[in-house]
Amino acid sequence: MLFLTFGMVLTHAQSSCSELMDMVTSEGYGSTYSSYSSDAISQVTFYEIDGDNYSTYYFAIVRFKSSYTDYIYQVGSRTKSNYAMNYLQSAGEAFWKYIQPYNQNLNCAPN
């Protein structure tokens, strides 16, 4: 059932970004990386959601300091580890390098 729900939400992502974010946060346990010294990124929380057929979906919910608005990205399996290894040096640079390239997957975040 969860897989079918994800499929339906991902198909209609443009109108359902907040629903998808609510679903991801309610279905999975997140790992949060806070960026107190960054001018751009307040925090990033990564989620892994298991679907049918042994598939796993990876998401990042990013909160920007300029608006304190959360945006969701569907990211790759190594995004969390790459971000975690680099965000202390510069959360903004780590975001642009490891999360922003996935912007078009859901169309739920600004360019």
Side-chain angles (χ1 to χ4, degrees):
M1 178 71 168
L2 177 62
F3 179 73
L4 292 174
T5 305
F6 266 122
M8 289 171 39
V9 172
L10 291 175
T11 302
H12 304 295
Q14 291 176 334
S15 63
S16 309
C17 294
S18 62
E19 292 174 18
L20 177 60
M21 197 176 319
D22 290 343
M23 186 183 312
V24 167
T25 57
S26 70
E27 294 291 333
Y29 173 77
S31 299
T32 300
Y33 297 86
S34 297
S35 306
Y36 302 107
S37 62
S38 174
D39 292 334
I41 306 294
S42 176
Q43 69 182 30
V44 177
T45 305
F46 292 95
Y47 294 89
E48 295 180 17
I49 307 295
D50 294 325
D52 287 348
N53 300 323
Y54 304 103
S55 58
T56 303
Y57 298 92
Y58 301 92
F59 297 93
I61 297 179
V62 180
R63 178 171 293 163
F64 294 96
K65 283 191 174 176
S66 61
S67 64
Y68 286 95
T69 302
D70 293 338
Y71 295 98
I72 189 166
Y73 298 79
Q74 185 177 2
V75 297
S77 61
R78 299 208 22 93
T79 304
K80 176 182 170 182
S81 60
N82 288 332
Y83 184 84
M85 289 189 298
N86 293 283
Y87 85 103
L88 289 175
Q89 293 173 342
S90 174
E93 287 180 21
F95 164 78
W96 281 102
K97 186 171 184 178
Y98 301 111
I99 299 173
Q100 177 62 20
Y102 294 99
N103 186 44
Q104 299 302 314
N105 287 353
L106 298 175
N107 291 320
C108 287
N111 291 325

